[in-house]
Amino acid sequence: MDGRQALALAAGGARRAVVLKFGLPIAAVFIVLLIILGALSGIGGVSSASAAGCGEWGQPADDGENGNGQKGDAGGGASKELRARQVTNAKIIDGVAKEGKLPGRATLIALMTALAESQLDNINYGDRDSVGLFQQRPVAGWGTKEQIMDPKYAAKMFFFGGDSGDPPGLEDVPWENLSLNDAAQKVQRSGFPNAYGPKETQARSIAKEAGIDLERSGENHPNRPGPSTGGSSGSSGDNKGKDPDEPPGDCNTSGKPGKPGEPFHDGNANWPDKVRNPRSTADAIKWAKAEADSHRANWYQKCLAFTSIAYGWNYSGTNYAIDHYTDVMPKEMRHDGDRNPPPGALMFWDTGHRAGHVAIYVGDGKIASNDIGVIGEISIVPATDIETKWNAKYLGWSPPYYPSGG
């Protein structure tokens, strides 16, 4: 809920109270004052219509290694007691995967799923009749409550499903060609279909503590995809056999690829004629730096909105940053893997989650980015921080082109 929404709710309650107590004339004056305050609160803020484009909760769209999505210990993560139970349950799940000769990727999907459903804790309650690690429902055919509360049984059902294929387990769906998040969703059929991807970092951390090899091959899956991240891929049959978390293969590859962590250097800006923005490149960079100096916490999960507003638009016209690069940006404007962006360029990363990330290159190897320094604020940081701190994959850069911006 943003400030405007909170104000609207407050105004509604206050309006009724004032009308009852003081009558209509004073109520009218009070409402006018609320409207003025609401207008003032929007100065320097961000339009609520701006595309967020930066995923779910976290760094970015991730609960982190110890996070459980709720308040836990002083570090904001799971308590020691919960962590111990998570490690124990992770070992049980991995043991079932090994018995079924499944690769480590299957274990990773199961851990992410259980973290999203139960915090990887064998709880005896849930939505309606859901219980256990995976919040499986007796009424949906997953077994009796007593069976589902057995972590080993629950894991077997998650991986292999019912004998008739209903409910389906992971092995009943073409999970090898899906992203981690989408593979989990195929089994769970959740009302929150993007809940699993944000749990990858935490799942990997627990697996490491449990001594689980998430990169192992499985005898049933010798040609499994390589290591990948948790975002929704939207892969199609044309990408069969390809890591579904890789960006589409029809991008321009004329750039100069570098290795993750290598520095970025300034290139020469030569924007196409159709790249026209209300604010010039120099003024956009100046505005972005001033926003960083202000330390205003206006930009949580609003990477794409930030870049468009820096260039003078009210909104970008695209819902997700990664879509702006792969779908909206013309092929001839995409410079895949090129680590020599010109100042003012938009730089894009695949964070392993649906939205991806975008920032403005301000020169000298640095970017203006939200959430990377202080959550919600704009920071000027080395462009390599997105790779090294968020373990994101650099996709490339493009001119600041917003064909649907407004």
Side-chain angles (χ1 to χ4, degrees), residues 159-183:
F159 287 127
F160 304 106
D163 292 337
S164 63
D166 187 26
L170 190 65
E171 284 288 86
D172 295 315
V173 300
W175 64 273
E176 299 93 334
N177 293 317
L178 297 173
S179 70
L180 301 173
N181 181 90
D182 292 353

Side-chain angles (χ1 to χ4, degrees), residues 264 266 285 288-289 292 303 306-307 341-349 357-373 377-387 389-390 394 396-397:
F264 291 87
D266 296 3
I285 293 174
K289 289 181 175 180
C303 59
F306 162 69
T307 66
L346 305 183
M347 299 177 66
F348 295 84
W349 288 265
H357 189 69
V358 61
I360 298 175
Y361 185 67
V362 298
D364 196 26
K366 295 182 179 180
I367 55 172
S369 172
N370 64 309
D371 296 336
I372 187 65
E377 294 185 13
I378 302 301
S379 301
I380 306 299
V381 298
T384 52
D385 278 10
I386 307 297
E387 293 171 318
K389 292 185 177 181
W390 286 352
Y394 175 58
W397 66 266

Side-chain angles (χ1 to χ4, degrees), residues 45-46 50 277-292 299 302-316 344-346 359-362 368-369 378 400 402 406:
V46 183
S50 301
N277 297 301
R279 211 177 257 139
S280 69
T281 298
D283 285 344
I285 293 174
K286 182 179 178 180
W287 186 92
K289 289 181 175 180
E291 190 62 27
W299 305 104
K302 293 180 178 178
C303 59
L304 186 58
F306 162 69
T307 66
S308 63
I309 292 171
Y311 273 97
W313 301 101
N314 288 324
Y315 52 86
S316 67
L346 305 183
I360 298 175
Y361 185 67
V362 298
S369 172
I378 302 301
Y402 302 93

Side-chain angles (χ1 to χ4, degrees), residues 5 7 23 40 48 94 122 168 176 179 185 221 228 296 359 372 379:
Q5 292 170 319
L7 185 60
L40 289 174
S48 60
D94 187 54
N122 194 32
E176 299 93 334
S179 70
Q185 172 62 7
H221 303 268
S228 63
R296 285 190 288 261
I372 187 65
S379 301

Side-chain angles (χ1 to χ4, degrees), residues 48-111:
S48 60
S50 301
C54 273
E56 310 284 332
W57 181 268
Q59 296 187 1
D62 202 318
D63 283 339
E65 291 187 359
N66 300 306
N68 57 15
Q70 302 178 10
K71 291 181 179 179
D73 59 17
S79 66
K80 290 183 179 179
E81 292 78 10
L82 174 58
R83 182 72 166 198
R85 295 196 299 272
Q86 289 173 334
V87 169
T88 297
N89 290 326
K91 290 178 179 178
I92 294 173
I93 290 171
D94 187 54
V96 174
K98 286 181 177 177
E99 287 179 7
K101 300 180 180 180
L102 299 177
R105 181 181 173 90
T107 294
L108 176 58
I109 294 169
L111 296 182

Side-chain angles (χ1 to χ4, degrees), residues 13-355:
R15 195 163 47 233
R16 289 186 292 272
V18 171
V19 169
L20 290 173
K21 188 171 183 179
F22 299 107
L24 289 174
I26 296 177
V29 173
F30 186 76
I31 292 169
V32 169
L33 288 174
L34 283 175
I35 292 171
I36 293 171
L37 287 172
L40 289 174
S41 69
I43 296 175
V46 183
S47 169
S48 60
S50 301
C54 273
E56 310 284 332
W57 181 268
Q59 296 187 1
D62 202 318
D63 283 339
E65 291 187 359
N66 300 306
N68 57 15
Q70 302 178 10
K71 291 181 179 179
D73 59 17
S79 66
K80 290 183 179 179
E81 292 78 10
L82 174 58
R83 182 72 166 198
R85 295 196 299 272
Q86 289 173 334
V87 169
T88 297
N89 290 326
K91 290 178 179 178
I92 294 173
I93 290 171
D94 187 54
V96 174
K98 286 181 177 177
E99 287 179 7
K101 300 180 180 180
L102 299 177
R105 181 181 173 90
T107 294
L108 176 58
I109 294 169
L111 296 182
M112 291 166 61
T113 303
L115 282 166
E117 296 288 355
S118 69
Q119 296 183 47
L120 192 50
D121 199 10
N122 194 32
I123 55 179
N124 63 356
Y125 58 89
D127 178 47
R128 289 171 288 188
D129 60 335
S130 301
V131 293
L133 292 172
F134 300 95
Q135 288 293 281
Q136 294 157 335
R137 301 185 61 196
V139 74
W142 290 100
T144 66
K145 180 177 180 180
E146 291 72 23
Q147 287 175 319
I148 296 172
M149 286 300 298
D150 176 0
K152 188 171 183 178
Y153 172 90
K156 283 183 177 179
M157 289 297 291
F158 176 83
F159 287 127
F160 304 106
D163 292 337
S164 63
D166 187 26
L170 190 65
E171 284 288 86
D172 295 315
V173 300
W175 64 273
E176 299 93 334
N177 293 317
L178 297 173
S179 70
L180 301 173
N181 181 90
D182 292 353
Q185 172 62 7
K186 283 289 186 181
V187 178
Q188 298 298 101
R189 296 177 285 188
S190 169
F192 301 92
N194 296 315
Y196 309 105
K199 299 297 180 181
E200 183 182 358
T201 299
Q202 189 185 358
R204 289 186 179 278
S205 175
I206 292 171
K208 183 177 181 181
E209 189 172 334
I212 296 170
D213 179 11
L214 295 178
E215 308 305 325
R216 72 170 186 274
S217 298
E219 291 182 32
N220 292 341
H221 303 268
N223 296 319
R224 67 184 181 90
S228 63
T229 48
S232 174
S233 64
S235 58
S236 66
D238 294 335
N239 291 326
K240 190 172 182 180
K242 177 184 176 183
D243 182 348
D245 298 297
E246 293 291 322
D250 58 351
C251 298
N252 172 25
T253 57
S254 61
K256 302 174 183 123
K259 296 179 181 178
E262 285 187 351
F264 291 87
H265 302 286
D266 296 3
N268 296 318
N270 186 20
W271 305 150
D273 290 339
K274 61 181 177 180
V275 177
R276 297 179 182 273
N277 297 301
R279 211 177 257 139
S280 69
T281 298
D283 285 344
I285 293 174
K286 182 179 178 180
W287 186 92
K289 289 181 175 180
E291 190 62 27
D293 291 338
S294 76
H295 297 290
R296 285 190 288 261
N298 291 333
W299 305 104
Y300 175 61
Q301 294 186 353
K302 293 180 178 178
C303 59
L304 186 58
F306 162 69
T307 66
S308 63
I309 292 171
Y311 273 97
W313 301 101
N314 288 324
Y315 52 86
S316 67
T318 311
N319 288 328
Y320 297 109
I322 200 166
D323 291 349
H324 198 76
Y325 186 71
T326 60
D327 299 338
V328 175
M329 197 66 60
K331 286 176 79 172
E332 64 273 14
M333 292 190 192
R334 300 199 297 258
H335 300 264
D336 290 2
D338 187 349
R339 300 179 85 86
N340 300 276
L346 305 183
M347 299 177 66
F348 295 84
W349 288 265
D350 180 352
T351 61
H353 305 285
R354 174 64 183 90

